[in-house]
Amino acid sequence: MKVALVSYFFEPFTGVGAIRPTYWAKHIGELDPSISCDVVTAQEDAPEELNSGKVKVIKILPEKKSFLSKIRIDAGMSWKRPLDRFFAENGDKYDAVVFTGGPFMHFFAASKLKCRVIFDFRDPFANNPNHNLNKFKRLIKRFCERKLLSIAGISVTVNAVCRDLMENHEKHRIEIIDNGYDESVVGKYEKSCGSDGSRKKIVYAGKFYPGVSPEIFLGVLGKDENLERFSFDYMGPEKEKVTGFDRGNFNVTASVPYSEAVSRIAAAGTGIIFTGGKPFESTTKIFDYIGLERTILVVTEGEPYTGTIQEISKDYPNIFWCRNNEESIQDALNKICDSERKPYPEKIMFSRKEGLKKLIGLLHE
């Protein structure tokens, strides 16, 4: 079976949008030798090939100037026509094409393909509550999402709440493949002790999302009583939000590649999740924390033990929740200090390998 994996982002891009497709491309042939895979990406500095040439990486750049790109509904708009031209010449050689987002508007390039088409939305395109859209843009996105769902034979998203946010979801086949942790990377570090001398090291990687502020938590870590008890390791694009709270117990850097992020998570005892408390909210971080069997602290603006994060972690033994206020955060930190991490053999259920097995099953139907 010849498969094309179409992803706007790809390695070495460090954002979350590149992690899932990069894993799939690297490992799909290992799990099923009957599948050969080409990657089609807009990532100009992507490698030319993967797995010693077994996976070809085809770079197709978006149009720099176009009328559609000026509307700015979605970055994929300027990539659709280059993909149209590519598939007009090459579409017949593929048995299946998997488009993974975001962005999403280039998914329309699948409309003329005659092979199996799978759209991996990951998160909702039109009705993502974290996207502050004006009414016009929301209407356009809803219209486009309905059209896209009618094009794909199968669509994919990361959890049931995201599925239910998609337009006319009950009329279309939408499967769930959660993000998971990369067991090929996590496995290298899972025996790390996760200690920082006398201090309990806490780690966070990535952006701080709308709906919950990290300032209260960072302020608590800077209290006199916590300076010698905790250290904090941050890697991500919002360093300026963190450095102002550093009293000598913080390590702050820009975003790093996934493998380095995993090594730094493994070097900590506790990983943080900040959530606005909306039911659909999840994060890829939770899977890395589970894969490394680290303690998880969820700081929420909503009700503790609710939503998709609770559904994922309900059986995980090393998790604490707190509200986003000083008293609740301090109480959770005290409990973490008094706790011992427990093993979690069932973690393999949350690996990216299990998700890729499901995608392979969909390709073979």
Side-chain angles (χ1 to χ4, degrees), residues 6 12 15 47 159-160 173-174 178 216 235 240 244 257 330 335 356:
V6 182
N159 57 57
R173 183 177 176 187
I174 304 175
D178 223 326
I216 299 174
M235 62 208 96
E240 69 283 351
Q330 186 65 64
K335 289 178 180 176
L356 180 53

Side-chain angles (χ1 to χ4, degrees), residues 103-361:
F104 303 94
M105 291 295 284
H106 59 279
F107 285 21
F108 280 106
S111 60
K112 295 182 181 178
L113 289 171
K114 298 177 182 178
C115 60
R116 162 151 288 190
V117 172
I118 296 177
F119 287 164
D120 171 35
F121 283 85
R122 290 195 306 118
D123 297 330
F125 170 47
N127 299 313
N128 189 324
N130 273 344
H131 293 171
N132 186 20
L133 304 177
N134 61 50
K135 191 172 183 179
F136 172 74
K137 186 176 282 191
R138 178 81 69 187
L139 287 172
I140 293 294
K141 283 194 169 188
R142 291 181 65 187
F143 173 81
C144 290
E145 188 172 270
R146 287 194 292 270
K147 289 288 187 181
L148 289 173
L149 287 170
S150 67
I151 292 172
I154 302 171
S155 294
V156 172
T157 189
V158 294
N159 57 57
V161 178
C162 287
R163 177 197 62 202
D164 293 347
L165 286 169
M166 297 177 76
E167 289 289 307
N168 296 334
H169 61 89
E170 68 281 352
K171 297 181 181 179
H172 302 282
R173 183 177 176 187
I174 304 175
E175 298 288 342
I176 295 170
I177 299 178
D178 223 326
N179 281 308
Y181 67 90
D182 186 341
E183 70 290 337
S184 67
V185 177
V186 166
K188 299 175 183 177
Y189 304 102
E190 58 187 349
K191 293 184 179 180
S192 299
C193 65
S195 65
D196 183 23
S198 61
R199 286 170 166 166
K200 296 274 189 180
K201 182 184 283 189
I202 300 171
V203 66
Y204 186 85
K207 296 179 180 178
F208 299 108
Y209 291 97
V212 58
S213 169
E215 280 83 358
I216 299 174
F217 172 79
L218 296 174
V220 170
L221 285 186
K223 285 185 172 183
D224 290 342
E225 63 192 276
N226 292 323
L227 287 179
E228 298 304 319
R229 298 173 71 206
F230 300 100
S231 63
F232 183 60
D233 188 15
Y234 173 78
M235 62 208 96
E238 298 178 276
K239 296 192 299 179
E240 69 283 351
K241 286 188 177 181
V242 179
T243 52
F245 292 89
D246 183 12
R247 295 190 59 198
N249 58 337
F250 286 16
N251 177 53
V252 183
T253 71
S255 299
V256 298
Y258 176 73
S259 60
E260 183 179 340
V262 170
S263 72
R264 287 168 64 174
I265 292 169
T270 301
I272 294 286
I273 293 171
F274 295 98
T275 175
K278 299 182 179 69
F280 87 100
E281 288 182 338
S282 183
T283 172
T284 58
K285 300 176 191 66
I286 193 170
F287 300 108
D288 294 320
Y289 298 159
I290 290 174
L292 290 163
E293 297 180 349
R294 291 300 178 254
T295 299
I296 301 172
L297 174 58
V298 184
V299 180
T300 181
E301 289 286 358
E303 285 296 317
Y305 304 101
T306 61
T308 298
I309 293 173
Q310 167 64 9
E311 185 62 28
I312 292 169
S313 64
K314 61 185 177 184
D315 296 320
Y316 187 62
N318 306 306
I319 188 164
F320 297 83
W321 287 68
C322 65
R323 297 181 185 275
N324 193 23
N325 63 65
E326 288 190 15
E327 181 180 357
S328 185
I329 291 169
Q330 186 65 64
D331 182 56
L333 291 175
N334 294 339
K335 289 178 180 176
I336 289 171
C337 275
D338 295 334
S339 69
E340 292 186 8
R341 291 199 306 272
K342 302 177 180 66
Y344 186 57
E346 295 83 3
K347 66 184 182 181
I348 192 63
M349 298 184 302
F350 298 97
S351 68
R352 290 188 184 273
K353 184 177 183 179
E354 292 301 308
L356 180 53
K357 286 179 181 178
K358 185 166 185 178
L359 176 67
I360 290 170

Side-chain angles (χ1 to χ4, degrees), residues 90-107:
N90 300 281
D92 290 344
K93 71 181 184 182
Y94 296 111
D95 301 298
V97 179
V98 180
F99 288 73
T100 182
F104 303 94
M105 291 295 284
H106 59 279
F107 285 21

